[in-house]
């Protein structure tokens, strides 16, 4: 099993999920950049605390090299008129590339960038539907329903169809 | 890129249709503007920044405003 670095929006939603602990069936540990932790308020920090205390999650300090690379990615996506890439998710991409981690994000931009940038082609970018699919397999439809109830998140019909779910 | 644009169109329509506009209009600034930005472009991080709230706290308001995050 491997490590994944989590973006703010993914973490905020996943931590609300009733079966959030099952993510450790897919990843041994979750890396949380301090830049991501700083975006979270009291509730999110309290939810994240058990993972940090049990060392299943760990913090990644601000590192100048990662910040410079994140800025390069943000500038690139802007100059090419690509989907908007926010600084925390750009930082996650930079960390993932250097450390060989997967990226957890519910935004489309990092997935898109990893597909078109040659030097990011080895970075695996997964969203919550990908993770639910890996955990639940054939029981995905029920898990999707529960995830929607817990988080207010909706999966696109097109994507659900690719997993054999007709909503 | 076309696939992405199609997804964005579908997602924006869903956000516009699902949003509780009465709730949104009653919110104080800058929360009201932040919620409208979220409906328009779906960027939760940016909307939270505009609101001045941490992402998870803004997300609680997003749920009350019935704006879905579309993945």
């Amino acid at each position: 099993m491997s490590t994944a670095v989590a973006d703010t929006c993914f973490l905020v939603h996943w931590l609300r999920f009733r079966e959030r602990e099952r993510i450790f069936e897919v990843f041994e540990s979750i890396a949380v950049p301090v830049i991501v932790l700083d975006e979270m308020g009291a509730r999110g920090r309290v939810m994240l605390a058990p993972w940090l205390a049990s060392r299943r999650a760990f913090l990644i300090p601000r590192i100048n090299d990662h910040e410079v690379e994140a800025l390069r990615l943000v500038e690139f996506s802007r100059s090419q008129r690509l989907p908007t890439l926010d600084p925390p998710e750009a930082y996650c991409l930079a960390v993932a590339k250097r450390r060989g981690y997967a990226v957890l994000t519910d935004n489309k931009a990092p997935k898109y960038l990893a597909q078109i940038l040659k030097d990011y082609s080895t970075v695996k970018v997964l969203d919550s539907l990908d993770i639910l699919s890996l955990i639940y397999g054939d029981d995905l439809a029920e898990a999707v329903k529960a995830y929607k109830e817990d988080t207010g998140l909706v999966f696109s019909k097109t994507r659900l169809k690719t997993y054999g779910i007709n909503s | 890129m076309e696939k992405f644009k199609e997804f964005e169109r579908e997602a924006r329509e869903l956000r516009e249709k699902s949003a509780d506009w009465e709730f949104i209009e009653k919110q104080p600034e800058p929360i009201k503007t932040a919620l409208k930005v979220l409906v328009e472009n779906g960027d939760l991080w940016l909307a939270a920044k505009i609101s001045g709230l941490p992402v998870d706290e803004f997300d609680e308001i997003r749920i009350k405003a019935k704006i879905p995050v579309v993945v």
Side-chain angles (χ1 to χ4, degrees):
Chain A
M1 286 211 289
S2 55
T3 298
V5 57
D7 175 39
T8 320
C9 299
F10 175 90
L11 211 48
V12 161
H13 294 129
W14 191 270
L15 286 169
R16 277 213 197 98
F17 182 40
R18 67 192 77 172
E19 296 195 337
R20 57 188 166 274
E21 301 296 326
R22 292 194 65 179
I23 199 167
F24 295 107
E25 293 173 22
V26 180
F27 296 105
E28 187 180 358
S29 53
I30 304 293
V32 181
V34 168
I35 187 176
V36 165
L37 184 74
D38 287 348
E39 303 290 341
M40 296 172 77
R43 189 180 189 279
R45 287 165 186 250
V46 168
M47 300 290 279
L48 183 62
W51 288 8
L52 290 168
S54 62
R55 303 178 78 172
R56 288 173 299 163
F58 62 97
L59 298 175
I60 299 204
R62 282 174 186 267
I63 296 169
N64 190 49
D65 279 0
H66 295 341
E67 289 186 318
V68 170
E69 176 64 1
L71 177 60
R72 184 183 77 87
L73 291 172
V74 168
E75 286 176 341
F76 176 78
S77 67
R78 272 183 55 80
S79 67
Q80 301 297 308
R81 297 181 178 274
L82 299 177
T84 307
L85 185 72
D86 296 324
E89 54 201 27
Y91 194 90
C92 287
L93 272 175
V95 169
K97 183 189 162 198
R98 300 275 176 90
R99 311 302 301 171
Y101 300 161
V103 175
L104 303 178
T105 179
D106 274 333
N107 295 336
K108 287 280 169 287
K111 223 174 202 182
Y112 190 76
L113 264 185
Q115 284 171 7
I116 64 162
L117 285 177
K118 265 189 186 168
D119 49 345
Y120 279 81
S121 61
T122 57
V123 177
K124 196 182 264 187
V125 182
L126 303 166
D127 61 30
S128 46
L129 185 58
D130 298 322
I131 302 298
L132 289 171
S133 168
L134 289 169
I135 296 171
Y136 292 93
D138 292 343
D139 298 324
L140 180 62
E142 278 302 304
V144 163
K145 194 178 158 205
Y147 199 76
K148 185 182 172 184
E149 284 170 8
D150 294 352
T151 65
L153 195 142
V154 173
F155 297 111
S156 86
K157 287 179 185 173
T158 312
R159 290 213 54 217
L160 286 174
K161 269 184 198 163
T162 66
Y163 283 101
I165 299 173
N166 291 307
S167 58
Chain B
M1 192 66 175
E2 279 311 310
K3 225 171 157 184
F4 178 81
K5 281 181 181 168
E6 175 59 25
F7 166 82
E8 276 300 289
R9 196 184 53 76
E10 182 195 334
R12 188 166 58 246
E13 278 177 15
L14 193 59
R15 288 192 298 270
E16 281 172 356
K17 208 168 71 180
S18 308
D20 181 343
W21 290 100
E22 202 180 321
F23 176 89
I24 292 170
E25 290 297 339
K26 280 182 189 164
Q27 299 309 301
E29 292 291 10
I31 307 289
K32 182 162 71 176
T33 296
L35 289 169
K36 287 179 179 177
V37 167
L38 180 62
V39 170
E40 177 62 27
N41 70 10
D43 189 335
L44 183 64
W45 180 84
L46 177 66
K49 280 284 165 203
I50 291 168
S51 77
L53 296 172
V55 175
D56 51 344
E57 288 178 22
F58 179 74
D59 198 53
E60 298 285 342
I61 301 171
R62 176 206 49 97
I63 290 171
K64 287 178 189 165
K66 297 186 172 70
I67 303 170
V69 168
V70 187
V71 174

